[in-house]
């Protein structure tokens, strides 16, 4: 029995149905890698970030997420090199899709029971997406911004429904705007922490770590 097209599973109709001790025999999701590219490059190196944002309330299968990741990764590897970008898949497929498998051979109408006992068996996994939810985020250098936008445009073709590509004013994957980030790094109250940053607050016990100068 082959995979059914996206139109069969793209709408959120029921409650979330996740893998548990009651729902067993669920196949593993096709997407196994959620970060690719230069995922260990420090936060200062990649200031530009763009997001692929959903414009519909829908479900995206794990196969579609994996296909989009591969398409995005392949284009960016070719155009910017392996160390020129960092892709992060922000949607995780936890919802189990059931399929009531029907016979399609000769004389199937004599053997099949139609809609009697139609509660299906787990067939694949899907991510439940809300309007405005980020599906993919890519950070890179400012010089590679146009390549990032083109890679997300190609990834968009793997999904049903509508998506929008949005350039962010934030610095990389952090929550700080570019001007705020630059000022915080200069004054010492924003400290790099891998691909993210730590904020050193103005209150609390005075130690050597949190003594930073805050400008008004």
């Amino acid at each position: 029995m082959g995979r059914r097209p996206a139109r069969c599973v793209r709408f959120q109709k029921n409650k979330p149905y996740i893998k548990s001790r009651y729902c067993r025999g669920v196949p593993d999701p096709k997407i196994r890698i959620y970060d690719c590219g230069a995922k260990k490059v420090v936060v200062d190196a990649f200031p530009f970030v763009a997001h692929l944002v959903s414009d519909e309330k829908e479900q995206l299968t794990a196969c579609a997420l994996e296909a989009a990741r591969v398409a995005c990764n392949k284009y960016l590897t070719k155009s910017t090199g392996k160390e020129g970008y960092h892709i992060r898949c922000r949607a995780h497929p936890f919802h189990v899709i059931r399929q009531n498998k029907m016979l399609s051979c000769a004389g199937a109408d004599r053997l099949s029971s139609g809609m009697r006992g139609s509660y299906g068996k787990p067939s694949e996994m899907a991510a439940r997406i809300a309007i405005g939810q980020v599906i993919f985020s890519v950070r890179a250098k400012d010089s590679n911004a146009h390549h990032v936008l083109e890679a997300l445009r190609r990834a968009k073709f793997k999904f049903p429904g509508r998506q929008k590509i949005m350039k962010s004013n934030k610095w990389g994957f952090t929550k700080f705007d570019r001007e705020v980030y630059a000022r915080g790094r200069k004054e010492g109250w924003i400290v790099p922490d891998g691909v993210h940053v730590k904020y050193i607050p103005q209150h609390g016990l005075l130690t050597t770590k949190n003594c930073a100068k805050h400008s008004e």
Side-chain angles (χ1 to χ4, degrees):
M1 195 77 177
R3 285 187 66 250
R4 289 183 179 174
R7 65 173 177 266
C8 300
V9 296
R10 62 177 282 199
F11 298 113
Q12 292 185 29
K13 294 197 298 183
N14 304 317
K15 294 179 183 178
Y17 183 64
I18 60 169
K19 182 179 179 180
S20 66
R21 58 182 175 170
Y22 309 109
C23 174
R24 299 179 299 275
V26 178
D28 290 333
K30 285 286 189 292
I31 183 166
R32 307 297 290 174
I33 301 168
Y34 291 89
D35 284 88
C36 35
K39 54 190 176 184
K40 292 188 178 178
V41 168
V42 291
V43 65
D44 288 335
F46 289 158
F48 177 79
V49 64
H51 307 291
L52 184 64
V53 180
S54 175
D55 207 22
E56 290 186 15
K57 181 183 177 183
E58 59 180 350
Q59 293 180 165
L60 300 178
T61 63
C63 287
L65 290 170
E66 173 67 4
R69 184 193 68 83
V70 168
C72 190
N73 190 44
K74 189 173 285 186
Y75 179 80
L76 284 174
T77 303
K78 186 176 72 174
S79 56
T80 67
K82 285 186 178 178
E83 298 299 314
Y85 64 94
H86 177 193
I87 303 171
R88 175 167 287 174
C89 179
R90 306 272 295 273
H92 287 246
F94 291 121
H95 181 70
V96 178
I97 301 293
R98 297 190 305 270
Q99 189 172 334
N100 178 28
K101 298 194 174 176
M102 313 281 282
L103 294 172
S104 58
C105 55
D109 52 334
R110 296 170 182 269
L111 302 172
S112 64
S113 55
M115 290 300 289
R116 182 181 295 164
S118 60
Y119 194 84
K121 294 221 168 69
S123 63
E124 59 181 331
M125 304 290 283
R128 291 165 70 91
I129 307 291
I131 295 172
Q133 183 175 336
V134 178
I135 305 169
F136 278 96
S137 295
V138 184
R139 67 186 181 115
K141 294 178 180 175
D142 284 325
S143 57
N144 292 327
H146 60 289
H147 291 308
V148 170
L149 298 177
E150 172 62 18
L152 288 176
R153 189 189 72 85
R154 295 186 178 206
K156 199 165 67 161
F157 293 127
K158 308 297 179 184
F159 297 130
R162 292 170 303 183
Q163 292 82 32
K164 289 181 178 174
I165 298 167
M166 295 187 174
K167 288 197 292 185
S168 177
N169 294 326
K170 309 292 182 188
W171 184 289
F173 289 162
T174 68
K175 63 181 181 181
F176 298 102
D177 287 345
R178 286 187 169 220
E179 297 79 14
V180 176
Y181 180 88
R183 193 173 80 242
R185 290 285 287 120
K186 185 178 178 182
E187 296 173 1
W189 46 271
I190 289 179
V191 181
D193 185 29
V195 300
H196 292 280
V197 290
K198 283 182 181 174
Y199 170 68
I200 298 174
Q202 288 179 288
H203 51 79
L205 293 172
L206 283 176
T207 63
T208 54
K209 287 186 178 179
N210 68 1
C211 283
K213 181 184 174 185
H214 288 256
S215 65
E216 295 300 327

